Amino acid sequence: MSNHQAWLPLINFIRQHYGVAEGLIPLHAPCFDEAEKRLVVDCIDSTFVSSVGQYVTEFEQTVAEFTGAKHAVAVVNGTMGLYLALKVVGLQPNDLVLTQSLSFVATANAIKMHQADPVFVDVERETLGLCPDSLNAFLAEQTQLKNGQCIHRQTGRVIRACVPMHTLGFPARIDQILEICNQYHVALVEDAAESLGSFYKAQHTGTFGKMGVFSFNGNKVITTGGGGMLITDDTELARHAKHLSTTAKIPHAWLFEHDEAAYNMRMPNLNAALGLAQMQKLPAFLAEKHQLAQAYQQSPGLVMIKQPKNAQANYWLNALQCESEVERDAFLELCNGQNIQARPLWTPMHQLPIYADCLRSELPNTEWLAALVVNLPSGVKCHD
């Protein structure tokens, strides 16, 4: 792409695909019909609209079954899910957590909320996710194992965990990341917020590490309005996460007794009812999103990010690679001026003042992708 004329076929295709001749085309709008309304009304009629009710349990079971995880724990949002996952794997104040700078700010925020600090390593251009080579190089050059812990040599701080993100739903090379983490005694927690319906080597994202975390924000593949979900095969981690998310209340018919200082991170039954109806449509959503991705990829003149080798991506957001930052900005201005929502990737975390002083490796791929990639409208079409 080099000028506005070259972009017009793409603009026209987007409008034709969504059947909107004029007006706003969102980046990724939710899709609801009578199925959602029916379950939400049923939840309202039951009066169990808060943190107790059958839909929370059913939603957890449905997500666990879909992903192949043994356990799922519903929470109020993805950020709190990451916070809770890091809590139960043992993150302590002053610890360090390896992650990627190319991410939504929630990834770093969940670490900082523990009074710990993120350490940024580079991502890959192919997967957009954390680069195993960059991770391995940082650990080999800057850490040592001591008493079963990974210690950052220069600061003496413990590197307790690693949080890669499956960016835009494209799976990272998570098996290699896991192997490196195990070698260095670092707990792997997957930020799978954007990757429900994505698989790596036929295994669902979020099921490789000790825990994985999904987001059900309004712009995700499925939504509960707000909400998140932890998944794990570790029964004790699941039990502890559920216990902490529900104020650490000891089960009893009427007494209120609690055995840990804990949190109220429970997903309301009302949100879970919405999510359960959405889960019933997830296979159809994924099929439609793959069709849209193929259409984008077949459009002449576009360089689209495609699912990497050994991966099945959900194509949460389709990603277009521009030739330069100047072209990217011109394309964004044109699309948004035409009432078509398009957006760049996030400002890398190390370029934000709040995280500028964090430890990091060289990040050339992070900065290259942030300067060139644009997300295109990617939501499913709602049918009456």
Side-chain angles (χ1 to χ4, degrees):
M1 296 189 304
S2 59
N3 55 58
H4 285 202
Q5 284 298 121
W7 297 331
L8 289 179
L10 176 58
I11 298 290
N12 292 334
F13 165 77
I14 292 171
R15 289 214 169 272
Q16 290 171 4
H17 175 78
Y18 287 101
V20 179
E22 297 179 356
L24 176 67
I25 297 179
L27 188 69
H28 199 292
C31 183
F32 306 129
D33 61 22
E34 292 302 318
E36 285 84 2
K37 295 175 184 177
R38 183 171 61 254
L39 291 191
V40 169
V41 168
D42 181 71
C43 181
I44 292 171
D45 289 344
S46 76
T47 74
F48 288 94
V49 297
S50 191
S51 57
V52 176
Q54 68 176 23
Y55 287 122
V56 173
T57 301
E58 290 182 26
F59 187 40
E60 290 173 336
Q61 292 171 344
T62 301
V63 171
E65 181 179 355
F66 180 85
T67 60
K70 292 181 180 178
H71 308 282
V73 179
V75 290
V76 69
N77 57 51
T79 305
M80 291 296 98
L82 282 172
Y83 174 87
L84 188 57
L86 289 167
K87 173 74 174 180
V88 298
V89 302
L91 188 63
Q92 302 291 322
N94 201 47
D95 282 350
L96 298 175
V97 178
L98 294 154
T99 190
Q100 58 199 68
S101 179
L102 190 69
S103 181
F104 181 55
V105 72
T107 310
N109 285 351
I111 296 165
K112 197 68 175 177
M113 287 161 60
H114 282 281
Q115 299 177 39
D117 286 308
V119 177
F120 301 120
V121 298
D122 208 8
V123 296
E124 298 180 295
R125 294 188 184 186
E126 180 186 13
T127 69
L128 310 184
L130 192 143
C131 175
D133 296 334
S134 180
L135 174 67
N136 193 53
F138 182 90
L139 287 166
E141 296 167 7
Q142 300 199 37
T143 72
Q144 62 181 350
L145 288 175
K146 186 176 181 180
N147 298 324
Q149 293 184 327
C150 183
I151 307 297
H152 184 249
R153 287 196 186 97
Q154 184 178 1
T155 63
R157 298 168 71 179
V158 177
I159 297 180
R160 189 81 63 184
C162 176
V163 184
M165 185 176 76
H166 300 290
T167 311
L168 306 182
F170 296 105
R173 287 195 287 156
I174 195 65
D175 57 344
Q176 295 182 45
I177 294 170
L178 175 61
E179 183 178 347
I180 295 166
C181 288
N182 288 341
Q183 179 183 349
Y184 284 91
H185 299 185
V186 172
L188 176 61
V189 173
E190 295 174 68
D191 185 344
E194 302 167 356
S195 67
L196 183 65
S198 296
F199 296 80
Y200 184 74
K201 295 183 177 179
Q203 182 175 338
H204 202 289
T205 55
T207 63
F208 289 80
K210 287 185 176 295
M211 303 200 90
V213 181
F214 298 114
S215 168
F216 303 122
N217 190 35
N219 64 350
K220 296 300 190 292
V221 178
I222 71 161
T223 184
T224 58
M229 187 82 76
L230 288 74
I231 58 171
T232 183
D233 285 345
D234 190 309
T235 301
E236 175 53 27
L237 288 181
R239 183 209 64 79
H240 196 200
K242 186 71 170 181
H243 190 57
L244 288 177
S245 72
T246 54
T247 69
K249 184 179 183 295
I250 300 171
H252 193 280
W254 58 84
L255 292 179
F256 284 83
E257 295 183 341
H258 310 261
D259 58 5
E260 290 187 72
Y263 322 102
N264 183 358
M265 295 179 176
R266 299 171 285 194
M267 175 183 285
N269 200 40
L270 200 60
N271 297 80
L274 185 63
L276 190 61
Q278 289 268 285
M279 280 297 295
Q280 294 168 2
K281 300 174 181 177
L282 179 57
F285 286 173
L286 293 172
E288 184 174 331
K289 291 175 74 61
H290 273 264
Q291 291 175 358
L292 176 58
Q294 290 174 1
Y296 276 135
Q297 291 166 17
Q298 292 167 3
S299 299
L302 302 186
V303 179
M304 303 296 299
I305 306 292
K306 300 179 181 179
Q307 62 188 18
K309 183 180 178 182
N310 298 319
Q312 179 181 334
N314 65 5
Y315 285 103
W316 171 54
L317 291 180
N318 287 280
L320 166 68
Q321 180 187 314
C322 297
E323 294 179 358
S324 67
E325 191 169 0
V326 171
E327 182 187 77
R328 181 203 70 176
D329 291 345
F331 179 72
L332 288 168
E333 184 176 353
L334 174 67
C335 284
N336 286 281
Q338 298 257 355
N339 232 3
I340 294 175
Q341 283 190 344
R343 76 173 195 197
L345 296 177
W346 315 273
T347 299
M349 296 300 99
H350 72 282
Q351 294 178 354
L352 297 178
I354 52 177
Y355 292 116
D357 295 333
C358 291
L359 293 167
R360 64 177 184 266
S361 64
E362 295 296 316
L363 303 172
N365 291 334
T366 296
E367 295 174 357
W368 185 86
L369 288 165
L372 300 183
V373 173
V374 169
N375 293 135
L376 302 177
S378 302
V380 299
K381 294 181 289 185
C382 293
H383 305 284
D384 295 332

